[in-house]
Amino acid sequence: MIDTNNPALFLPLFVALWCTICVALSFIGGWHTLAQHYRATQPFSGRRWYLRSASMSPANYGGVLTFGANTEGLFISVLLPFRLGHPPLFIPWSEIESTEQYRQLFFPVVRFYFKESPFVSLGVSKRLAQAIVSEAHGHFSLASS
């Protein structure tokens, strides 16, 4: 049995577990797949929304995401302590295949689908989706509900 009261042993195990969980979440949710096609290569310039939540396929990111939007596309990044395996993403509006609006436990949600990663979807609150789309200034619109 591992002595968790021993900081010399506990700390490395905790760090290893933390890293493993962060990277695994990236693969399970599809962030890794999106990053293969939409990894941000430049600093983002535009409006941002901090500490937001979203679901990506089966993974949930509760209050650890930053979203951004401008006339070029959608920016998404993960808060620093959770970022391992989650490089920032920039998805051009033309790469969003479709959107779907629905209710999840009384809350209106918008789910985004992507051309290069058809099996990965991103669900955000309808309010956040509308704010993001307003920053596109006509370059993108939500599907009707």
Side-chain angles (χ1 to χ4, degrees):
M1 183 168 203
I2 298 173
D3 180 12
T4 56
N5 291 326
N6 181 351
L9 206 54
F10 176 75
L11 189 58
L13 288 175
F14 177 81
V15 170
L17 183 61
W18 183 273
C19 293
T20 301
I21 290 171
C22 286
V23 171
L25 189 61
S26 172
F27 280 89
I28 291 168
W31 195 286
H32 175 78
T33 303
L34 287 178
Q36 290 176 325
H37 303 285
Y38 306 119
R39 183 182 216 134
T41 58
Q42 305 174 34
F44 175 74
S45 176
R47 175 123 187 250
R48 293 178 195 236
W49 296 267
Y50 298 94
L51 303 174
R52 300 303 171 134
S53 299
S55 64
M56 193 172 273
S57 301
N60 288 308
Y61 295 88
V64 298
L65 298 178
T66 297
F67 284 89
N70 59 26
T71 57
E72 304 299 317
L74 173 65
F75 171 80
I76 314 167
S77 69
V78 177
L79 202 62
L80 192 56
F82 308 97
R83 193 171 291 167
L84 187 64
H86 295 81
L89 305 174
F90 185 79
I91 305 163
W93 294 123
S94 62
E95 288 295 312
I96 298 177
E97 182 74 38
S98 63
T99 61
E100 172 189 20
Q101 297 185 40
Y102 63 96
R103 288 198 171 278
Q104 184 174 343
L105 295 173
F106 309 110
F107 299 103
V109 174
V110 174
R111 189 155 291 281
F112 292 84
Y113 297 91
F114 310 99
K115 288 182 180 178
E116 292 294 330
S117 302
F119 300 109
V120 178
S121 63
L122 172 74
V124 300
S125 71
K126 185 173 182 179
R127 175 182 265 175
L128 177 59
Q130 290 171 328
I132 288 169
V133 170
S134 73
E135 292 299 313
H137 297 289
H139 294 279
F140 183 78
S141 61
L142 295 175
S144 299
S145 51

